[in-house]
Amino acid sequence: MYSLDINFLKDREVRVFEARPRARGPVVQGDRRPLYLGLAAALIPLALVGGYWAVTRNQINQLQARSIELDGELAQLQGQLQEISTIQGQIEAIRAENNAFVSVFNEIVPWSALLQDIRSRTPARIQIVSLNQGEGTTLETDPNTTPPRAGGIAIDGVACSYDDINDFALVLQRSPLLQSQTVAISQAQQQPTLLDPQTQGRCPGTAVGDADFLIDYTIGANITNTPASQLVDELERQGTVGLVSRLQALREKGVIE
């Protein structure tokens, strides 16, 4: 059996192919507006943050400067407050001295005025033998009260009758220089012997031939606590010129009302 071999290579023409550039169409650039919008969207928050930081930083600087300024003003005010406190202390000290000075006059009830007042209130049938000053007494209705700062007095004497003693006590209760509620008869006792007309005389108003017995009595009372500045009229009426003039001078200067 036969086989046929055919060689086609000999008859094939060798061709040289030239590489030709591949034709390209015109390049079409895409729309970049979304890119710009994206960048803008990213940059706007950063710009806002930066602006806010700048504004905040400026405010902080202003506040720090104001704080320093206020610290200076506070230090100055503290110095002024200290000065005011010192002046206020001096004012209080002077006021205390004035009050102490005024209290000396306000607590004085001159004996001259007190004696003149009691003398003018003593009835004709009453005789005062002695007048003594003591600490005063507390009221029976309120035993916890302290005795008056001016003290009290005890009047000893003789009277023509018990009624005369009672009348004298009632008159003393109307005295503005005594505490009316403290005026009381502490003792009254008839003397054992008759009044001798030859040596002792007779009681005023006693009929001739009537027996006269003198009554020994003691009347106690507290001196008033009313300030002397409120008793100017009464003290002036009793002739206490020196104290009245001082009180009037203090009143004119506004130290007392």
Side-chain angles (χ1 to χ4, degrees):
M1 198 173 167
Y2 298 96
S3 61
L4 182 61
D5 294 326
I6 300 174
N7 189 0
F8 292 99
L9 295 176
K10 292 181 177 181
D11 296 331
R12 190 178 59 180
E13 181 180 0
V14 179
R15 297 179 180 177
V16 179
F17 293 92
E18 294 180 358
R20 297 180 179 178
R22 183 177 299 177
R24 295 181 180 180
V27 178
V28 180
Q29 295 183 354
D31 190 357
R32 296 188 178 183
R33 285 181 295 178
L35 177 61
Y36 295 150
L37 293 175
L39 290 175
L43 291 176
I44 287 175
L46 293 177
L48 293 176
V49 172
Y52 177 76
W53 181 87
V55 171
T56 303
R57 186 62 183 175
N58 183 49
Q59 291 178 345
I60 292 174
N61 292 336
Q62 291 179 354
L63 292 175
Q64 288 177 342
R66 181 59 178 165
S67 177
I68 295 173
E69 182 182 355
L70 291 177
D71 288 340
E73 293 179 358
L74 179 60
Q76 184 178 3
L77 289 175
Q78 287 176 342
Q80 294 176 352
L81 288 175
Q82 182 64 32
E83 183 178 359
I84 292 173
S85 178
T86 302
I87 295 174
Q88 188 66 31
Q90 295 174 351
I91 292 174
E92 292 298 330
I94 295 174
R95 185 173 296 167
E97 292 178 359
N98 288 338
N99 291 336
F101 179 73
V102 171
S103 66
V104 171
F105 293 99
N106 263 341
E107 295 177 4
I108 291 177
V109 177
W111 271 94
S112 60
L114 186 59
L115 292 175
Q116 179 60 33
D117 180 66
I118 294 175
R119 184 182 299 114
S120 64
R121 297 177 186 276
T122 304
R125 292 167 57 87
I126 289 287
Q127 183 178 358
I128 296 176
V129 175
S130 65
L131 192 151
N132 301 306
Q133 184 177 16
E135 295 182 355
T137 59
T138 57
L139 298 176
E140 294 181 359
T141 56
D142 189 4
N144 294 324
T145 58
T146 58
R149 59 175 180 268
I153 59 172
I155 303 173
D156 295 316
V158 292
C160 293
S161 68
Y162 290 103
D163 290 338
D164 294 327
I165 299 173
N166 290 330
D167 292 341
F168 188 30
L170 292 175
V171 172
L172 290 176
Q173 288 178 357
R174 294 196 290 268
S175 172
L177 303 183
L178 299 174
Q179 293 183 10
S180 60
Q181 67 272 29
T182 63
V183 177
I185 302 170
S186 58
Q187 72 91 16
Q189 185 176 1
Q190 180 177 292
Q191 293 182 359
T193 59
L194 288 171
L195 184 63
D196 186 357
Q198 300 298 325
T199 59
Q200 296 175 299
R202 298 182 62 83
C203 285
T206 302
V208 177
D210 290 347
D212 273 347
F213 285 93
L214 294 180
I215 310 296
D216 294 320
Y217 71 88
T218 300
I219 297 178
N222 289 347
I223 300 174
T224 182
N225 284 331
T226 304
S229 58
Q230 300 179 21
L231 298 172
V232 171
D233 294 338
E234 179 64 25
L235 295 176
E236 187 175 11
R237 186 162 45 249
Q238 301 301 338
T240 313
V241 179
L243 179 59
V244 169
S245 61
R246 290 183 177 88
L247 291 173
Q248 288 176 343
L250 292 174
R251 180 177 294 174
E252 291 174 358
K253 294 180 179 180
V255 179
I256 59 177
E257 297 181 357

